[in-house]
């Protein structure tokens, strides 16, 4: 009899958002368990709006995975600090994104949102590959 595959204890979900120009057309990428999801058309906004939308998508993917122990990894110092509740949102637009994030979290334990270097962000690599050099 073959034992069922064990899931990793902690799911790492990488997120990145961007826009061209800033402000401009927004896009986002999320990578979880080696699967990349690209959202190429998120409307018009700033780089911080795009990062927040990427983080919200990462949270939704993490919750849909069924894994309770996960961390959301991104390279935006502003968004990570706001989502971690270390900094207050400086504008109504960013507060709106925080409120949406908090509503999705609901009564669950607040998720770990961690700042990583851009060179470690798998979602950033995925997003960069969608553009010609």
């Amino acid at each position: 009899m073959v034992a069922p595959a064990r899931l990793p204890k902690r799911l790492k979900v990488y997120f990145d958002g961007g826009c061209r120009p800033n402000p401009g057309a927004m896009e986002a990428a999320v990578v979880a368990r080696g699967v990349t999801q690209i959202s190429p058309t998120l409307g018009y906004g700033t780089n911080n709006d795009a990062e927040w939308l990427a983080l919200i998508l990462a949270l939704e993917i993490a919750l849909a995975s069924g894994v309770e122990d996960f961390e959301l990894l991104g390279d935006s110092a502003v968004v990570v600090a706001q989502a971690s509740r270390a900094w207050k949102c400086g504008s109504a637009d960013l507060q709106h994104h925080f409120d949406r994030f908090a509503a999705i979290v609901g009564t669950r334990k607040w998720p770990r949102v961690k700042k990583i270097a851009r060179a470690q962000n798998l979602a950033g690599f995925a997003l960069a590959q969608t553009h010609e050099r």
Side-chain angles (χ1 to χ4, degrees):
M1 176 183 257
V2 176
R6 296 186 73 181
L7 294 176
K9 291 183 179 181
R10 178 178 296 155
L11 175 64
K12 293 182 178 186
V13 183
Y14 298 84
F15 68 92
D16 195 29
C19 61
R20 292 171 187 245
N22 185 21
M26 297 183 297
E27 60 189 359
V30 174
V31 176
R33 289 196 181 121
V35 177
T36 302
Q37 181 169 334
I38 305 277
S39 297
T41 54
L42 296 175
Y44 184 88
T46 68
N47 62 317
N48 287 329
D49 291 318
E51 291 282 0
W52 263 109
L53 294 174
L55 173 59
I56 290 167
L57 180 58
L59 174 63
E60 291 171 339
I61 289 170
L63 292 173
S65 76
V67 174
E68 292 183 24
D69 187 15
F70 60 86
E71 59 186 355
L72 308 171
L73 307 168
D75 57 37
S76 170
V78 170
V79 171
V80 168
Q82 290 171 346
S84 299
R85 302 182 287 191
W87 293 356
K88 299 267 186 211
C89 295
S91 72
D93 290 340
L94 298 182
Q95 185 64 49
H96 169 75
H97 296 307
F98 177 87
D99 292 344
R100 183 171 165 210
F101 182 82
I104 295 168
V105 171
T107 59
R108 296 175 189 89
K109 177 183 165 191
W110 198 263
R112 281 186 306 278
V113 184
K114 183 177 173 185
K115 165 87 170 68
I116 59 172
R118 186 172 304 257
Q120 296 174 309
N121 193 343
L122 301 179
F125 294 137
L127 206 53
Q129 288 178 350
T130 65
H131 298 283
E132 293 182 22
R133 298 259 173 200

